Each structure stands twice: as structure tokens, then as C-alpha cells.
Amino acid sequence: MGIRDVSIGLELSPTLSREHIYIASGLSVEAITSILKRCLRTCGIDRDDLVYITRCFIDPEQSFGHLTELDPQLPHAPQTCISILELQLPREAPESIGQRLDRLTQLLPLVRSYGAVVYYPSAQAQHPIAHVVSDLDGTLLQDELLVSLARQVGLGQAFEKITQQAMLGAINFEDSFRQRTRMLAGTKRDLLEATARSARLALGIEAFYRWLADCGLPLDIVTSNYDIFCQALQDRLTYDHYYASSPSFSGGELTGQFSGEIVDAEAKARLVQTIARERYVSLDQMLVVGDGANDLPMLAYAGHAMLYCASEIGATPALPLTTMIDLLRLS
């Protein structure tokens, strides 16, 4: 891959500090820039606040002009191209957790609707990264396990709609999670385990694990999904600890209820802070990866927040997990 740089923004006053957001997408530069502006406009950021430094990673057989001359109305650039935007915003005061959460909320549609990867380091982010925490479904796995399970018992369509709404934050996550679990009452334990064992791993996960090993980084999974899925995946995914919701079983079948606390958005945020405290790691040195609205609070606490979706978005293929590593190297 060759790299070309092109600047497509306005200059920022040198008296203001900057916060950086790095975005990778299979869309053209023009298209992703237009979408980004729409996402951020709702939180009071206008064009005069933005500076873009664009890096285009291009297949050497494709010309740079081929990318820049794409019609912004076209849905996607060629699959050989990845546009990377470095977005710089003015920061006049230290950023609060609430402000980071608001910004992540505005950026989420880039990931859930357009398949982008977004890296949002905090002003206090420290290198090297010392610990990694990741969601499970749609991050380390291409599949949403509950949706895959529901398809096998004839509930796929209803599940897909509810799951997508929950991941976008359009409906309350815990309520929707309880609803979906009740719908699955009577499903056999063996089918849950088989669903996890047959799930598709994220593209590029082998290289991601090599990167973790090379850097000596531990990985914990914090997921709202069922603990039985994490247990069934232990021979396919390597991780230090997992934190998950515990559904109850009776006679080898799901009861539709839970035996403990649901790991919802607030619980995920608490768990990330607990992990940092118990492992003697600063939150500013923690990389947290997620793909849905219920992940945003835990991402807001991390020095290195990464929005990444390993699932296909409509006809848009997912970018490989290693795209996250590329974005980290730019910071």
C-alpha cells in the first residue's frame, strides 16, 4: 500500500489546543467528510471548527486521481482504497467524561451505518497502551450471536431489527436485551454453545493477536451477551478474563430470565474502571473497543477509545480488525 497526503480543511488558530479523531473508511474522502460533518453538526461543531489532514491508503495499482475524482454521491470507493481522516477540533478546556460520551454518540453512526473505524484518544491518553478491553459480538466476531441463534429458531427478522435499534441507541438496551432473552426461552443449551463455536471471527483477528503478543498486551472481554458464549469460545479466542451476563437454565434450556446482573452500558463502564484499578493500569493507557451504543460509556473512560464494527453493514464489507492498529500508529 502506498500513502498519499492531502489537506482538505481550514487552518486552526495555534493558540488553541487540539483534540484528534482518526477515521478509516472504505468510502471516498468526500463522502466520509460530508457524513462526518452531518454527524458532528448536531453537537454544535461547524465547519469553521474543523481541520482535516487526510491520509489515503491506496492500492499501488490504483491512481491517486482515481480516488479524488470519485463522485461523492457514489456509495463506496473501490474496495482496494481506505480513506483515513485525521480530524482536529479546538479544545479550550479539559474534556469531561460526559463530553467524550456526547462526542462518541455523534460518531457512532459513522460506524454502525457506514462501516467506518473511529479512534478517539483523550487529551490525557498515554503511550504505550498497557491493557486492552473489547466487546465480543461485532468486534472480535463478525456475527451477533443472539441474532445467529434467533435465525436457527425462526426469530431472525424480529431479532435483527431489535438488535440494530439497540446498538444505535434508539431503544433502551437492557429492556431490549431482556425482551430478546424472553423470546429465546426454551432454547437448548447445546444450541447456544454450537452457535458460538461456529461464529465467524473478525477479519484480520490473527494479525490482531500477533500485535497483542508482540506488545505484551493482556485482553479482557466485557460483553453484555451471555457468559455461556464466552465459555464456548475459549478454544477459539485467547483472553485473560471475560465479564458477561448470566442467563438462567432449567433442564438444559433457557428460562428467558437471568441469574445475575445484566452487563449493560453502566455496568460496562464500572467494569472498565474496576479492571484498571485491579490491574494497576491507568485508564489513560487503556484501549477499549466497542461497536454499539451500550459500549460508549466504557469507551468514554478510556484514554484510547476505538469504535469498530466487524460485521458487514448492508452490502458494505467490514474493514479488518488490523485497521485499528493502523489508526493507533498515526497518533
Side-chain angles (χ1 to χ4, degrees), residues 17-21 87-91 95 103 120-121:
S17 61
R18 299 175 178 180
E19 61 177 306
H20 297 255
I21 302 172
L87 168 65
Q88 299 183 13
L89 300 175
R91 182 192 287 115
E95 187 180 40
R103 186 66 49 77
Y120 183 18

Side-chain angles (χ1 to χ4, degrees), residues 25-236:
S25 172
L27 295 169
S28 69
V29 173
E30 295 87 347
I32 197 66
T33 301
S34 175
I35 294 162
L36 175 64
K37 288 177 181 176
R38 291 201 300 272
C39 291
L40 294 180
R41 193 177 298 131
T42 57
C43 57
I45 297 172
D46 60 33
R47 187 175 186 277
D48 291 340
D49 290 328
L50 306 180
V51 170
Y52 301 92
I53 301 172
T54 307
R55 297 177 173 88
C56 302
F57 287 67
I58 306 166
D59 186 290
E61 294 182 3
Q62 299 283 348
S63 70
F64 185 62
H66 181 69
L67 178 66
T68 57
E69 291 171 8
L70 281 174
D71 183 347
Q73 301 304 313
L74 290 177
H76 299 286
Q79 292 184 15
T80 50
C81 302
I82 299 176
S83 306
I84 295 189
L85 299 176
E86 178 183 351
L87 168 65
Q88 299 183 13
L89 300 175
R91 182 192 287 115
E92 300 185 61
E95 187 180 40
S96 69
I97 296 298
Q99 288 170 326
R100 275 181 66 74
L101 181 56
D102 288 345
R103 186 66 49 77
L104 285 163
T105 301
Q106 301 307 324
L107 292 165
L108 182 61
L110 285 173
V111 178
R112 295 299 311 183
S113 300
Y114 300 100
V117 182
V118 177
Y119 169 42
Y120 183 18
S122 72
Q124 294 78 35
Q126 297 177 12
H127 290 276
I129 291 168
H131 203 98
V132 180
V133 171
S134 178
D135 185 31
L136 180 64
D137 303 65
T139 46
L140 299 180
L141 303 177
Q142 295 183 53
D143 300 321
E144 291 285 346
L145 291 173
L146 285 186
V147 173
S148 297
L149 181 65
R151 288 184 186 130
Q152 297 174 73
V153 296
L155 296 170
Q157 256 189 335
F159 255 68
E160 286 178 25
K161 182 177 180 180
I162 297 171
T163 300
Q164 179 67 355
Q165 289 177 323
M167 291 298 98
L168 282 167
I171 57 177
N172 179 272
F173 177 82
E174 182 174 347
D175 291 345
S176 74
F177 194 47
R178 290 188 183 278
Q179 176 188 359
R180 284 175 284 167
T181 298
R182 288 193 296 269
M183 291 168 68
L184 289 169
T187 304
K188 294 189 178 298
R189 184 186 189 99
D190 290 350
L191 184 57
L192 273 76
E193 293 172 336
T195 299
R197 293 192 182 109
S198 63
R200 298 172 299 163
L201 302 182
L203 298 173
I205 197 165
E206 297 86 358
F208 174 70
Y209 270 112
R210 286 197 297 272
W211 174 74
L212 290 176
D214 290 345
C215 297
L217 289 172
L219 171 67
D220 289 339
I221 291 176
V222 175
T223 177
S224 298
N225 217 334
Y226 302 159
D227 52 6
I228 186 173
F229 289 143
C230 296
Q231 294 158 10
L233 283 162
Q234 283 179 324
D235 61 343
R236 301 184 66 203

